[in-house]
Amino acid sequence: IFVDQVMELVELDGLKDALVGLPGISGLSTEQRKRLTIAVELVANPSIIFMDEPTSGLDARAAAIVMRTVRNTVDTGRTVVCTIHQPSIDIFEAFDELLLMKRGGQVIYSGPLGRNSHKIVEYFEAVPGVTKIKEKYNPATWMLEASSVSTELRLRMDFAQHYKSSSLHQRNKALVKELSTPPAGAKDLYFTTQYSQSSWKQFKSCLWKQWWTYWRSPDYNLVRFFFTLVAALLLGTIFWKVGTKRESTADLSMIIGAMYA
């Protein structure tokens, strides 16, 4: 039931019986593979998921479908942390919060995006000298331009230091301190076993999975059968009736060599 719910969540219901196949040759498309990867992680029912550029290598339509899947995952109460590269307006505004860093890993913004990204726009436009965003301009592109090295040199300021002295940074520090303190009476997580299933169930699941992997690869099985047959005929011919001669040390060495081979 839970697997069915995950498939519905990532919109894979119509592909439940499809083969994954080989990238660019057969099976699922790149966008479908990314959704399948997300689904495989969701089956473990994690509370937080990390994704490294989930939209890379996709066109606009495919990227929108993947991000809709990510948004559906967030709406179930899970936390999703993504790195994102040159997002469109729609993809950028699908996020709730942003952690923006400059070269060197220094944080220059950490907080909510707001509706139509108005929170981050207000934050950077409040800096004296920063160019205002144009109407219908991508806030993700404008944000990078407004916080670039050339802008820092022009304004003679460090955006990392500006963030550290901001009220937003103080609120984030207070929030981290509050959430780092466990509530009274809280207990550490404890599990009676290391794994959720017994060794026997793990063995059966892995065996069944491997069985299906071989069953779905007839070409691979044919090659394995052919090579096994050729190797058996070759070794059988070379060592034919070698065990019938046991009269000398050389004969015993030959037998041992045959067994090893």
Side-chain angles (χ1 to χ4, degrees):
I1 296 176
F2 182 70
V3 172
D4 291 334
Q5 291 174 350
V6 170
M7 292 188 69
E8 183 180 353
L9 182 69
V10 298
E11 302 176 15
L12 285 176
D13 272 339
L15 299 168
K16 63 173 62 177
D17 296 321
L19 295 180
V20 177
L22 299 173
I25 300 176
S26 62
L28 304 182
S29 65
T30 304
E31 162 260 319
Q32 290 167 342
R33 288 170 186 275
K34 286 181 180 286
R35 284 192 284 148
L36 177 60
T37 302
I38 295 172
V40 169
E41 298 302 323
L42 284 176
V43 168
N45 199 17
S47 58
I48 182 169
I49 305 170
F50 294 90
M51 299 184 187
D52 184 21
E53 296 192 11
T55 60
S56 61
L58 302 178
D59 56 33
R61 175 185 170 279
I65 294 173
V66 170
M67 286 309 302
R68 188 168 68 227
T69 299
V70 174
R71 187 70 244 181
N72 292 342
T73 304
V74 172
D75 292 340
T76 62
R78 297 176 177 88
T79 300
V80 178
V81 180
C82 292
T83 58
I84 204 77
H85 181 64
Q86 293 182 328
S88 64
I89 296 178
D90 294 333
I91 290 176
F92 186 67
E93 292 182 348
F95 291 93
D96 298 314
E97 299 196 12
L98 173 72
L99 175 63
L100 179 63
M101 293 184 287
K102 61 184 286 187
R103 188 181 295 275
Q106 294 177 292
V107 179
I108 59 178
Y109 182 84
S110 178
L113 279 178
R115 187 175 180 81
N116 298 325
S117 305
H118 77 276
K119 290 283 186 181
I120 191 168
V121 170
E122 291 173 358
Y123 176 83
F124 280 106
E125 284 187 342
V127 178
V130 170
T131 307
K132 306 294 183 183
I133 188 172
K134 299 175 184 177
E135 188 177 356
K136 296 183 179 179
Y137 197 67
N138 189 342
T141 305
W142 173 82
M143 166 192 73
L144 296 177
E145 294 171 353
S147 61
S148 63
V149 176
S150 59
T151 303
E152 287 187 326
L153 293 174
R154 179 172 61 84
L155 300 178
R156 296 180 181 180
M157 67 171 294
D158 184 351
F159 279 106
Q161 292 299 325
H162 176 75
Y163 169 72
K164 289 180 179 178
S165 61
S166 67
S167 58
L168 178 63
H169 177 62
Q170 300 304 320
R171 286 201 302 271
N172 288 338
K173 283 181 65 177
L175 181 62
V176 168
K177 185 177 180 181
E178 177 186 345
L179 296 178
S180 300
T181 306
K187 296 180 180 179
D188 292 337
L189 288 175
Y190 173 74
F191 299 97
T192 55
T193 59
Q194 183 177 2
Y195 303 105
S196 61
Q197 300 293 336
S198 65
S199 299
W200 174 242
K201 285 189 176 181
Q202 292 181 58
F203 172 76
K204 287 198 298 182
S205 298
C206 291
L207 186 66
W208 186 248
K209 177 180 179 293
Q210 197 64 32
W211 164 261
W212 276 112
T213 300
Y214 285 135
W215 181 256
R216 291 168 176 171
S217 309
D219 296 341
Y220 174 64
N221 290 327
L222 187 63
V223 171
R224 289 176 69 219
F225 180 77
F226 174 76
F227 274 106
T228 302
L229 182 63
V230 170
L233 290 173
L234 187 64
L235 289 171
T237 304
I238 293 173
F239 299 111
W240 179 253
K241 292 186 177 180
V242 73
T244 59
K245 299 178 182 179
R246 299 189 296 275
E247 299 169 357
S248 65
T249 306
D251 292 337
L252 290 176
S253 297
M254 180 67 75
I255 293 171
I256 294 172
M259 292 172 63
Y260 178 77

